[in-house]
Amino acid sequence: MAEHDLHDRRLFEQVAAPLYEDLLAESGLAADDPRTGEDAVRRALDLLLDLGLVRLDAETGRWLPEDPAGATSRVVSPLGREGARLLEESAAWSTSLSALGQAWRRTPQAAEAGPFTYLRAEAIEPFLATLVAECQEEALTAQPQTGRSLALADVVQRDTALLERGARIRTLYQHSARRSSATREYVAAVTARGAEVRTLDEFFNRMIVIDRQVAVIPSGDDLSVALAVREPSVVAYLVDVFERSWERGRPFTSRSATMLKDIAAEQRAMTLRMLIEGHPDPVSAKRLGVSPRTYAGYVADLKNEFEAETRFQLGYTIGQQGISGEE
């Protein structure tokens, strides 16, 4: 059987799989059925035949469906083996290139590059991957939003390898990350190997610090450009900012009723602060790390709580009661 690519999988999902279900419902398909003259159906039949999901019965002249169990082993198992091989090859390349990176940083040319390096778009993830691969002691990360540009499996594999080398990982999210199933999966995987994860109500910027020697932060508001910082005093300052936030954070894995109540109160207080300060809804939602729709729900809850029908009435009531959002 031939190897199958992304194009084949799309053809399978969009045309071949529905066709297979039709064959099941109709107990097959006549070889001279008008549908077989359509290009897409013909290609789908060829793919099903190659996968062993149909056969042409000589006696009846019909395409008959076959048990898909055999096709699963023929298609999925080779892909799994290839995936394992690629992961092993990726790790070997990472180790080899990491050694070159360490050699580079010991040379005069590296010193001439200066304490700040701008990274644009496609250069950011490879740079971070190299940094994490070379981490020996500790990685500090701050993720204000829950979405990740890397696939969950890639992030777990990368961070697991770091933890298994004996390094530490401490990660800060906003409280809103607790509602993300992908983030919960990631946290479960890495905390099982010793990582620590906390959440905070406050807005903070994205940051990663490796071995307290190199920090990567956004360059302004444009997340497509990052700044790698090697200046010791600046890195130390960023570490101090992280540590202060870390002390106020709440353990991600804790599910105590008291802590969950405190988190809800902190998110309520921050919503109040956003309203009092007059931020537009998109800005407020971003600072809370939630979608505009979720933020609108928070505001609706406050309107119910203060028995206000409009935003204006809500603001007036909050002002009358002397609420600051810092309580």
Side-chain angles (χ1 to χ4, degrees):
M1 186 185 70
E3 293 185 1
H4 296 283
D5 56 17
L6 178 61
H7 176 75
D8 284 340
R9 182 169 59 79
R10 286 176 175 167
L11 174 64
F12 180 80
E13 292 173 347
Q14 296 170 8
V15 184
L19 177 61
Y20 178 82
E21 292 177 359
D22 288 345
L23 264 64
L24 289 176
E26 300 171 16
S27 300
L29 178 71
D32 58 356
D33 188 291
R35 286 174 288 178
T36 61
E38 299 173 12
D39 182 60
V41 173
R42 170 51 59 184
R43 288 188 291 111
L45 274 173
D46 290 342
L47 178 57
L48 291 173
L49 181 63
D50 188 49
L51 291 171
L53 287 171
V54 299
R55 64 182 176 86
L56 183 59
D57 186 76
E59 293 183 6
T60 62
R62 294 178 66 81
W63 290 102
L64 301 179
E66 294 282 287
D67 185 346
T72 300
S73 62
R74 287 192 296 271
V75 175
V76 177
S77 297
L79 288 174
R81 289 193 294 270
E82 179 64 11
R85 186 191 69 78
L86 290 173
L87 288 174
E88 183 178 349
E89 187 70 13
S90 172
W93 273 104
S94 177
T95 300
S96 299
L97 292 173
S98 174
L100 291 183
Q102 293 173 8
W104 160 261
R105 277 184 286 279
R106 292 191 293 267
T107 64
Q109 294 96 314
E112 292 171 3
F116 304 101
T117 303
Y118 285 94
L119 306 165
R120 299 187 181 278
E122 67 279 356
I124 298 174
E125 288 299 347
F127 184 87
L128 288 175
T130 301
L131 276 184
V132 173
E134 295 174 0
C135 179
Q136 297 299 315
E137 297 179 3
E138 182 182 51
L140 309 176
T141 64
Q143 298 279 354
Q145 277 80 40
T146 60
R148 286 181 176 268
S149 56
L150 288 177
L152 176 66
D154 294 334
V155 178
V156 170
Q157 182 195 6
R158 183 193 70 186
D159 291 355
T160 296
L162 187 155
L163 292 164
E164 290 177 348
R165 293 198 303 272
R168 297 176 63 201
I169 292 179
R170 285 190 289 156
T171 296
L172 266 176
Y173 287 111
Q174 286 179 273
H175 287 330
S176 56
R178 294 171 180 267
R179 291 192 296 273
S180 166
S181 59
T183 302
R184 291 198 299 270
E185 288 179 36
Y186 165 79
V187 172
V190 297
T191 53
R193 294 171 173 83
E196 297 177 78
V197 183
R198 295 184 182 182
T199 63
L200 197 63
D201 64 322
E202 301 171 16
F203 176 76
F204 48 85
N205 232 326
R206 195 179 304 275
M207 178 174 69
I208 180 168
V209 182
I210 299 296
D211 291 334
R212 306 197 175 206
Q213 295 178 352
V214 183
V216 180
I217 58 177
S219 178
D221 294 330
D222 186 0
L223 294 181
S224 67
V225 181
L227 178 65
V229 182
R230 298 180 182 83
E231 171 58 45
S233 59
V234 178
V235 174
Y237 176 83
L238 293 172
V239 170
D240 181 63
V241 170
F242 181 92
E243 294 290 3
R244 291 171 186 269
S245 298
W246 181 259
E247 288 302 317
R248 297 193 301 274
R250 300 183 181 276
F252 194 107
T253 52
S254 174
R255 293 291 184 270
S256 73
T258 300
M259 192 201 69
L260 294 176
K261 182 178 178 181
D262 289 343
I263 287 175
E266 289 172 1
Q267 289 187 303
R268 173 186 176 277
M270 190 168 181
T271 303
L272 283 167
R273 292 199 298 274
M274 295 298 98
L275 289 169
I276 292 167
E277 293 169 13
H279 296 292
D281 281 10
V283 173
S284 298
K286 180 179 179 182
R287 293 184 70 85
L288 275 159
V290 298
S291 68
R293 184 174 182 177
T294 299
Y295 177 75
Y298 290 172
V299 175
D301 290 341
L302 288 174
K303 287 164 67 176
N304 289 333
E305 178 184 341
F306 289 97
E307 298 180 351
E309 294 184 4
T310 66
R311 289 277 187 103
F312 178 79
Q313 288 178 329
L314 176 60
Y316 179 80
T317 303
I318 290 172
Q320 285 290 97
Q321 296 185 16
I323 295 171
S324 66
E326 300 292 345
E327 292 79 7

